[in-house]
């Protein structure tokens, strides 16, 4: 119950409403632990299946095996988060103009809160591994990315506000499987394969759509619904003005690196013919 009490105290900091009830706090904590447990299970399964299906896995160094398995549950979460975000944003009626009377920034559901909790669990597990093995699994930019992501998701979960914008950002995780496959193919010695080239092309266009164009839509949506955005509690409101632009700048920086890498890969492929 100590966890629930501290969770409730934090909820009081981000919202003046009674949105965070004791039952909801228990559900949220359960979903966070579910996310962590899923990460542990997928990490172990990745090691077992890779050892059975990929002959080169056992030849990898200890550090490479750790990152290989880590990227396994990273891909799992990316697929989960992107599919659930697409469902909640597009297929469900949560954000349908005619289905709810609440402001669009105040809409959420038990299922959407479950998705947010599982994602928090993933970011906690991944950040713990990044810090434990720092900087082998990622530098300060990964720590910043995960920190900002958790900060934003936790605020939305505890307040029940801004879910639509959190889901847009979570959908951008759809590019992660291409990033991870790129790394796996490189480690497996398949950097000169056609699959590596096509994955690079898919990563470039996927990143352009999910992390550049989507963020442009994100900011346009905020601007056109700014009268509602102003109704978000103060910390959440100012976070919404600061965090997404920071993530957008990081996405632009990584997109520039991806574009450079793609040009290099394609030029090498042409010369090898």
């Amino acid at each position: 119950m100590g966890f629930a009490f501290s969770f409730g105290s934090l909820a009081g900091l981000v919202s003046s409403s009674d949105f965070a009830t004791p039952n909801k706090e228990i559900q949220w904590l359960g979903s966070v632990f579910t996310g962590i447990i899923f990460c542990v299970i997928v990490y172990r399964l990745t090691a077992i299946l890779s050892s059975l299906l990929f002959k080169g896995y056992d030849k990898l160094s200890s550090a490479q095996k750790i990152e290989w398995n880590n990227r396994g549950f990273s891909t799992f979460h990316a697929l989960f988060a992107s599919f659930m975000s697409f469902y909640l944003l597009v297929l469900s009626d949560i954000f349908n103009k005619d289905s709810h009377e609440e402001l669009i920034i105040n809409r959420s559901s038990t299922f959407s809160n479950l998705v947010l909790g599982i994602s928090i669990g993933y970011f906690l597990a991944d950040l713990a591994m990044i810090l434990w093995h720092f900087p082998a699994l990622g530098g300060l930019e990964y720590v910043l990315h995960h920190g900002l992501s958790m900060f934003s998701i936790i605020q939305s979960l505890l307040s029940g506000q801004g879910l639509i914008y959190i889901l847009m950002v979570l959908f951008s995780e759809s590019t992660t499987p291409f990033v991870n496959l790129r790394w796996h193919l490189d480690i497996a010695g398949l950097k000169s394969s056609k699959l590596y080239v096509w994955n690079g092309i898919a990563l470039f266009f996927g990143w352009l759509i999910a992390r550049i164009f989507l963020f442009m839509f994100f900011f346009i949506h905020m601007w056109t619904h700014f009268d509602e955005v102003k109704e978000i509690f103060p910390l959440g409101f100012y976070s919404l003005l600061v965090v997404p632009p920071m993530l957008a700048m990081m996405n632009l920086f990584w997109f520039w690196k991806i574009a450079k890498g793609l040009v290099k890969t394609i030029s090498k492929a042409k010369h090898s013919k």
Side-chain angles (χ1 to χ4, degrees):
M1 295 299 292
F3 251 147
F5 176 78
S6 61
F7 218 15
S9 300
L10 184 56
L13 293 175
V14 301
S15 177
S16 59
S17 69
D18 57 352
F19 179 78
T21 63
N23 285 338
K24 286 182 178 179
E25 292 168 16
I26 294 173
Q27 291 175 3
W28 297 340
L29 286 170
S31 63
V32 171
F33 284 119
T34 299
I36 295 173
I37 291 170
F38 271 139
C39 288
V40 173
I41 292 174
V42 176
Y43 182 93
R44 300 297 182 188
L45 283 176
T46 301
I48 294 171
L49 293 176
S50 297
S51 181
L52 293 174
L53 302 175
F54 176 55
K55 295 180 180 179
Y57 178 80
D58 294 329
K59 297 178 182 179
L60 299 177
S61 66
S62 178
Q64 288 175 326
K65 286 181 179 179
I66 290 173
E67 184 165 3
W68 183 285
N69 301 336
N70 172 269
R71 288 177 181 271
F73 73 74
S74 170
T75 297
F76 174 82
H77 169 262
L79 293 172
F80 167 81
S82 56
F83 279 124
M84 290 301 100
S85 297
F86 181 81
Y87 169 76
L88 290 167
L89 287 168
V90 180
L91 302 181
S92 75
D93 66 347
I94 293 180
F95 303 109
N96 191 311
K97 292 182 180 180
D98 302 322
S99 61
H100 297 277
E101 295 181 359
E102 299 97 336
L103 295 177
I104 198 168
I105 52 95
N106 289 332
R107 298 180 189 178
S108 64
S109 66
T110 301
F111 180 69
S112 67
N113 291 336
L114 173 66
V115 172
L116 296 190
I118 292 175
S119 287
I120 292 171
Y122 158 74
F123 282 116
L124 279 171
D126 199 37
L127 182 60
M129 286 197 67
I130 289 172
L131 294 175
W132 185 262
H133 298 283
F134 192 83
L137 297 180
L140 289 175
E141 68 274 15
Y142 286 89
V143 176
L144 178 63
H145 174 271
H146 282 31
L148 291 174
S149 298
M150 283 193 294
F151 177 69
S152 302
I153 295 172
I154 289 172
Q155 285 190 85
S156 180
L157 180 63
L158 296 182
S159 68
Q161 295 184 310
L163 173 67
I164 187 171
Y165 299 117
I166 296 297
L167 292 175
M168 286 186 194
V169 175
L170 278 178
F171 181 76
S172 67
E173 287 292 305
S174 57
T175 60
T176 300
F178 300 109
V179 176
N180 290 337
L181 180 58
R182 180 189 180 98
W183 183 89
H184 282 113
L185 292 172
D186 187 8
I187 292 297
L190 298 173
K191 199 170 182 177
S192 58
S193 65
K194 289 184 179 180
L195 179 58
Y196 186 88
V197 175
W198 283 111
N199 180 72
I201 295 172
L203 173 59
F204 175 84
F205 286 106
W207 198 281
L208 181 64
I209 294 170
R211 292 187 185 254
I212 305 300
F213 291 161
L214 180 59
F215 268 73
M216 292 170 62
F217 175 79
F218 179 106
F219 295 126
I220 292 171
H221 190 280
M222 271 187 59
W223 177 256
T224 56
H225 294 79
F226 201 68
D227 57 328
E228 295 188 33
V229 172
K230 289 187 292 185
E231 299 297 321
I232 297 177
F233 66 99
L235 179 59
F237 172 72
Y238 290 111
S239 297
L240 196 55
L241 295 181
V242 174
V243 175
M246 292 179 67
L247 292 175
M249 286 188 290
M250 294 173 68
N251 286 336
L252 282 171
F253 171 72
W254 283 327
F255 183 63
W256 174 70
K257 295 182 69 173
I258 290 169
K260 283 182 63 179
L262 179 61
V263 170
K264 187 177 179 180
T265 299
I266 293 177
S267 62
K268 280 187 176 180
K270 287 182 178 179
H271 288 305
S272 64
K273 289 183 179 180

